Amino acid sequence: MDTSTNTDIQPPSSAKTTGFLKTCFNGVNALSGIGLLSIPYALSQGGWLSLTIFLAVAVICCYTGLLLQRCIDASPFVRTYPDIGALAFGRRGRLIVAVFMYLELYLVAVDFLILEGDNLEKLFPAASFRLGALRVSGKQGFVLAATLVVLPTTWFSSLSVLAYVAAGGALASVVLIAAVLWVGVFNGVGFHERGRLVHWAGIPSAMSLYSFCFSGHAVFPMIYQGMKDKKRFPMVLFICFTVSTLSYGVMGIIGYLMYGDALKSQVTLNLPSGKVSSKIAIYTTLVNPLTKYALVVTPIAEALEATLGVGKNRLLCVLVRTALVVGTAVVALAVPFFGDVVALTGALLSCTATMLLPCLCYLRVRAKVIRPSQKMYWMETAVCSAIVVVGAAIVVVGTYSSVKQIVRSL
């Protein structure tokens, strides 16, 4: 086991730990994000029967979240997701987990900025900006503006502080669903689209997007380590996945009934212009990424600070986090294809981080440290093996489909 970078780790002080309710807010915030906007599109890609895949992915991801907790509890030196990889497979395991985890979080942060640009452009289609002699299009300018807004939120390092931001994100999700429902009921759109039972050609995209919806595993160890009462983490996971599954399901169903196969990558882009409810939905959509950006960027920032040895220097930490935010803005401006980037993130990175790695790491850690009963041993082995097979299929098929779409869009 590689513990060379963990020997100086101390338990978090009680002043920095988070209570049950705040932990739930952070967990829901990590799960219920921009997936709310893409879930109707995912359903239109796969058809009604793909809801069974959606539910299966939710159950699998909740279970693998518990596997991460068991891995953390197996050693006092394990605090982060890369630490789990190191406990299971040594330095190589740490590197593999870190690459997939941080790249996933990085692309999620990029998706947030693309989303901001898309929706602000819908609200203000004629807007344009000038930076000296350089003319900046509306969408590019809005991406830059969103970057400036989220930047200060990344300077906080306390989960307790971020929980107040997360509470705003949870409320924003409820308002978003209500606003889209209002458009369907009162603004003449209705719920008349019957949709398709199954669309086989779109199943790879649907699976990729469903995987993206439940990709909170990269921050679960951070949330778990910040809890006052860690024994309640399974209940936190159950509540977070239940709330997220219900919110995703409701949004997906009403969106598909409203627009059917005409759905765009973000349901807000389908909403009628000029309606107050549409504006509320879009403004709420703009709030959601602002409340979640810091939560997904913080693990990357902490890893960079530890690598550079600047964790105790406040000014240097701010500079590191500022550079990280600027980097996500550059990528968002270069590859502005929201649906395709989300699908690629879900297929290649989210699925690997939420299905493959937790199962493979747990099986290895169990063999080295944990000694379950014989009956439990075979049951866990069968379940984890089945998840690995399903996850590998999504990674291969979904990644191929997503890359093909991005190449076509360039």
Side-chain angles (χ1 to χ4, degrees):
M1 180 183 68
D2 173 26
T3 60
S4 59
T5 61
N6 294 294
T7 54
D8 60 344
I9 288 176
Q10 300 295 328
S13 65
S14 58
K16 294 183 179 180
T17 55
T18 309
F20 182 80
L21 185 59
K22 288 183 178 179
T23 304
C24 288
F25 278 132
N26 280 328
V28 170
N29 207 29
L31 290 173
S32 295
I34 56 178
L36 274 176
L37 301 176
S38 61
I39 195 73
Y41 175 73
L43 186 54
S44 73
Q45 290 293 293
W48 290 112
L49 277 182
S50 69
L51 283 174
T52 59
I53 299 175
F54 167 73
L55 293 175
V57 169
V59 172
I60 288 172
C61 290
C62 185
Y63 176 73
T64 55
L66 291 175
L67 295 184
L68 292 184
Q69 179 200 359
R70 294 179 190 175
C71 291
I72 295 173
D73 291 339
S75 170
F77 298 108
V78 175
R79 293 183 57 80
T80 66
Y81 204 163
D83 289 343
I84 294 174
L87 178 64
F89 300 105
R91 292 184 181 275
R92 185 176 300 176
R94 180 189 297 279
L95 178 61
I96 292 173
V97 171
V99 167
F100 279 98
M101 168 186 162
Y102 296 133
L103 189 54
E104 179 201 7
L105 291 176
Y106 191 83
L107 287 183
V108 169
V110 170
D111 291 331
F112 284 161
L113 297 181
I114 296 174
L115 181 151
E116 295 287 304
D118 286 343
N119 283 278
L120 281 169
E121 187 180 38
K122 181 176 177 64
L123 283 175
F124 308 104
S128 63
F129 306 87
R130 281 195 174 277
L131 295 176
L134 181 65
R135 185 180 181 278
V136 181
S137 70
K139 181 175 179 178
Q140 292 174 327
F142 290 133
V143 168
L144 294 174
T147 303
L148 293 176
V149 172
V150 298
L151 179 58
T153 68
T154 65
W155 296 338
F156 298 112
S157 58
S158 169
L159 279 180
S160 183
V161 174
L162 289 178
Y164 292 104
V165 182
L171 177 62
S173 296
V174 174
V175 174
L176 174 60
I177 296 172
V180 173
L181 184 61
W182 183 280
V183 170
V185 175
F186 298 107
N187 290 150
V189 176
F191 305 96
H192 309 301
E193 296 291 336
R194 298 183 62 181
R196 289 180 280 187
L197 183 62
V198 63
H199 180 215
W200 294 109
I203 287 293
S205 294
M207 291 191 302
S208 302
L209 293 167
Y210 292 152
S211 299
F212 179 85
C213 289
F214 297 104
S215 59
H217 291 56
V219 297
F220 282 166
M222 182 179 71
I223 292 174
Y224 175 62
Q225 293 293 351
M227 287 188 69
K228 288 181 181 177
D229 185 2
K230 293 182 174 59
K231 293 180 180 179
R232 304 186 73 183
F233 185 71
M235 179 57 66
V236 168
L237 273 186
F238 177 77
I239 291 174
C240 292
F241 273 92
T242 299
V243 170
S244 299
T245 302
L246 288 175
S247 60
Y248 281 135
V250 169
M251 178 65 94
I253 290 171
I254 64 176
Y256 196 29
L257 289 174
M258 287 168 65
Y259 297 107
D261 293 333
L263 276 160
K264 298 180 180 179
S265 61
Q266 303 167 51
V267 67
T268 48
L269 302 181
N270 286 94
L271 301 181
S273 301
K275 300 291 185 181
V276 173
S277 52
S278 297
K279 291 183 177 180
I280 291 175
I282 294 174
Y283 280 122
T284 306
T285 296
L286 298 174
V287 171
N288 246 328
L290 302 183
T291 64
K292 295 169 171 42
Y293 188 95
L295 192 62
V296 301
V297 166
T298 296
I300 311 176
E302 290 181 345
L304 288 173
E305 290 160 5
T307 302
L308 297 173
V310 299
K312 296 182 179 180
N313 188 311
R314 180 64 178 167
L315 177 59
L316 291 179
C317 286
V318 169
L319 291 176
V320 167
R321 293 172 186 235
T322 300
L324 184 60
V325 173
V326 171
T328 60
V330 171
V331 177
L333 292 171
V335 189
F337 311 119
F338 179 83
D340 297 331
V341 174
V342 169
L344 177 61
T345 306
L348 178 59
L349 303 173
S350 299
C351 189
T352 301
T354 60
M355 297 185 189
L356 298 182
L357 292 178
C359 290
L360 294 175
C361 287
Y362 175 71
L363 291 176
R364 180 67 172 174
V365 170
R366 186 190 64 176
K368 297 168 64 175
V369 182
I370 306 172
R371 295 289 183 267
S373 65
Q374 192 72 8
K375 180 179 179 181
M376 185 63 68
Y377 178 90
W378 290 110
M379 185 180 300
E380 287 180 347
T381 301
V383 171
C384 288
S385 299
I387 293 174
V388 169
V389 171
V390 172
I394 296 176
V395 168
V396 173
V397 177
T399 300
Y400 172 78
S401 174
S402 303
V403 170
K404 185 169 68 173
Q405 291 298 323
I406 290 176
V407 171
R408 287 179 178 176
S409 301
L410 290 175

